[in-house]
Amino acid sequence: MANVLEKQLLAATQIIEQQVDAEIENLEKMDEDDFEVLRRKRLEHLKKAQQQKDEWLKIGHGTYEELADEKEFFSACKKSKNMVCHFYRNSTYFCKVVDMHMAALAPKHLETRFTKINAEHCQFLVERLRIKVMPTVCLVRDGKTVDYIVGLDDLGGREDFPTEMLEWRIARANVINYSGDLMSPPVAGKAGGKGPALGRPSKKTIRGKTEDDDDSDDE
């Protein structure tokens, strides 16, 4: 068994070395004009990335902000391709826990807008989205709610869950950029060895219409 693993490792190493050698050879063949083209492409890419960042910052990305009512919620959904909205109630302690983690993630993921809204101030929206448990984090992509994080069950069922757990759970809905392993939660292997079980994302639109009427159990 050990010999087989050694052979596989050696083969993989040789492939990587061949790829590196090929890249070096290509670089050696390039002249000044080729390097200038690469430099210009790189600068153009950086320029576009900065422009996109500036546009995101102008519409509220990078900070964790409160939406006043349904009108602001719908407006935010139209402006941002990706949005995370925490439906909270002041009297619910766990909402304050979620607030802390949301505030930490907002500046880290400029590609997504992080918001919150007082559920008691948007009864129409709460009813349309069938939100019954606080906290509920609504995950929005292209104007549609693609998933919900209801309570703390999907976050390990404990109030001391790490920010990375919420980040991973949001990433499962493809609402933020994520480079980690989507199949395994960050806390896997601790206290039981398994992460929380996840249901399949809902297909409810932002107006409350559904493509699939299978609802999760009320908590």
Side-chain angles (χ1 to χ4, degrees):
M1 184 66 179
N3 289 335
V4 173
L5 292 175
E6 288 179 3
K7 290 180 179 180
Q8 291 178 342
L9 180 59
L10 179 60
T13 302
Q14 290 174 341
I15 292 174
I16 294 174
E17 288 178 348
Q18 290 171 0
Q19 292 174 341
V20 172
D21 290 341
E23 287 294 328
I24 293 175
E25 184 178 353
N26 289 334
L27 289 173
E28 289 176 344
K29 291 179 180 179
M30 294 176 66
D31 56 25
E32 291 185 5
D33 290 339
D34 293 325
F35 280 112
E36 180 62 22
V37 170
L38 285 177
R39 189 185 71 83
R40 289 179 180 177
K41 287 183 178 180
R42 176 60 176 166
L43 288 175
E44 184 64 25
H45 173 75
L46 292 174
K47 182 179 179 181
K48 288 182 178 180
Q50 185 60 48
Q51 289 176 341
Q52 178 65 82
K53 178 180 178 181
D54 291 341
E55 290 175 5
W56 282 333
L57 292 175
K58 286 180 181 178
I59 59 175
H61 289 228
T63 58
Y64 181 43
E65 297 181 331
E66 178 151 9
L67 305 175
D69 50 31
E70 288 98 339
K71 183 178 180 180
E72 286 194 5
F73 178 87
F74 291 124
S75 177
C77 289
K78 291 178 181 178
K79 292 178 180 179
S80 299
K81 177 181 177 63
N82 299 309
M83 189 176 83
V84 179
C85 187
H86 171 208
F87 284 78
Y88 76 95
R89 186 166 47 222
N90 283 323
S91 59
T92 303
Y93 168 73
F94 292 138
C95 289
K96 295 178 175 62
V97 175
V98 172
D99 273 340
M100 176 183 66
H101 296 295
M102 291 277 282
L105 289 175
K108 182 178 179 181
H109 291 280
L110 292 181
E111 73 279 4
T112 301
R113 187 172 183 193
F114 284 77
T115 63
K116 66 177 181 177
I117 189 168
N118 191 326
E120 296 176 340
H121 297 167
C122 58
Q123 288 299 317
F124 166 77
L125 186 59
V126 167
E127 291 176 6
R128 295 294 286 181
L129 297 180
R130 301 178 186 178
I131 294 174
K132 299 180 180 180
V133 176
M134 301 299 150
T136 288
V137 178
C138 178
L139 308 179
V140 181
R141 187 171 70 248
D142 294 323
K144 295 182 179 180
T145 54
V146 294
D147 204 356
Y148 297 93
I149 304 173
V150 181
L152 302 185
D153 287 349
D154 278 3
L155 304 173
R158 298 170 53 175
E159 67 178 87
D160 60 345
F161 65 90
T163 300
E164 291 78 13
M165 187 63 164
L166 177 59
E167 180 181 34
W168 172 82
R169 182 59 183 84
I170 293 171
R172 293 271 300 186
N174 196 29
V175 177
I176 59 174
N177 296 335
Y178 189 74
S179 59
D181 182 4
L182 288 174
M183 300 305 295
S184 302
V187 294
K190 299 180 181 178
K194 293 184 179 180
L198 300 176
R200 57 189 176 88
S202 61
K203 298 295 181 74
K204 188 181 295 183
T205 66
I206 212 67
R207 293 289 180 178
K209 298 177 183 178
T210 59
E211 297 175 19
D212 188 324
D213 288 332
D214 292 342
D215 293 328
S216 59
D217 293 335
D218 295 340
E219 297 183 24

